[in-house]
Amino acid sequence: MNAQVDPIPEGRHGVIPYIAVAGGVAAIDFYKKAFGATEVFSMQDPGGRIGHAELLIGGSPFYLSDEYPEMGVKGPLAVGGTPVMLHLYVDDVDAVVQRALDEGATIIRVVEDQFYGDRGGKLRDPFGHMWWIATHKEDVSPEELRARAERLFGNGA
């Protein structure tokens, strides 16, 4: 008989992104090189596709698998894009974005200082997933944030 297990595995609280990609082995390599991901676990099916992989970036887990169109699992390249963006805080946004570009990512919005206190930019990884990469530079009070937004966007903010 099995001992009682925790219904939520340790370190797996909250929302865990689970992304599908065309080319799981290459994706794992990209996330390691570009974002410093650590591979916790992965398994391939007999055909070489990643059936399930668990990675950590900055201690936070995310999962990925190869596409399995026969089961309705398709990545953003197969469906014409994604409405989902992954957000990642890093110590040096400029260096991480450059590393991602060197590994094949595409810049969507250049890295620049943002009115809300971050320095950040948006990129598309080689597998079609969108990432907002940022470094927090300044704590901005809610009042100052509203004032800055109004100056930037007008009264419609």
Side-chain angles (χ1 to χ4, degrees):
M1 178 171 229
N2 289 342
Q4 176 114 13
V5 298
D6 191 341
I8 300 172
E10 185 177 338
R12 299 301 189 258
H13 56 282
V15 175
I16 300 172
Y18 201 136
I19 62 175
V21 298
V25 171
I28 292 169
D29 188 54
F30 171 84
Y31 297 129
K32 286 178 178 179
K33 289 177 179 174
F35 302 142
T38 302
E39 184 177 347
V40 176
F41 171 82
S42 68
M43 65 180 179
Q44 294 182 356
D45 68 17
R49 291 185 293 183
I50 298 292
H52 177 76
E54 298 182 8
L55 295 102
L56 297 172
I57 296 179
S60 296
F62 75 102
Y63 301 158
L64 73 76
S65 77
D66 260 296
E67 294 181 318
Y68 283 84
E70 67 276 16
M71 293 186 230
V73 178
K74 299 176 184 175
L77 297 177
V79 298
T82 177
V84 176
M85 187 172 13
L86 301 163
H87 190 285
L88 178 62
Y89 275 114
V90 297
D91 288 332
D92 183 346
V93 63
D94 295 282
V96 170
V97 167
Q98 186 59 56
R99 202 166 54 235
L101 294 173
D102 292 346
E103 293 298 327
T106 304
I107 198 77
I108 303 300
R109 186 169 167 196
V110 297
V111 173
E112 59 187 355
D113 292 341
Q114 306 296 324
F115 74 95
Y116 46 84
D118 288 357
R119 179 169 176 76
K122 184 177 179 181
L123 58 85
R124 179 184 304 111
D125 72 29
F127 310 93
H129 291 283
M130 303 298 271
W131 293 80
W132 184 264
I133 313 295
T135 298
H136 187 64
K137 305 293 264 184
E138 174 189 17
D139 292 328
V140 180
S141 72
E143 296 78 21
E144 177 62 19
L145 184 61
R146 282 187 200 91
R148 289 180 184 184
E150 187 171 315
R151 284 192 302 271
L152 187 62
F153 301 114
N155 291 334

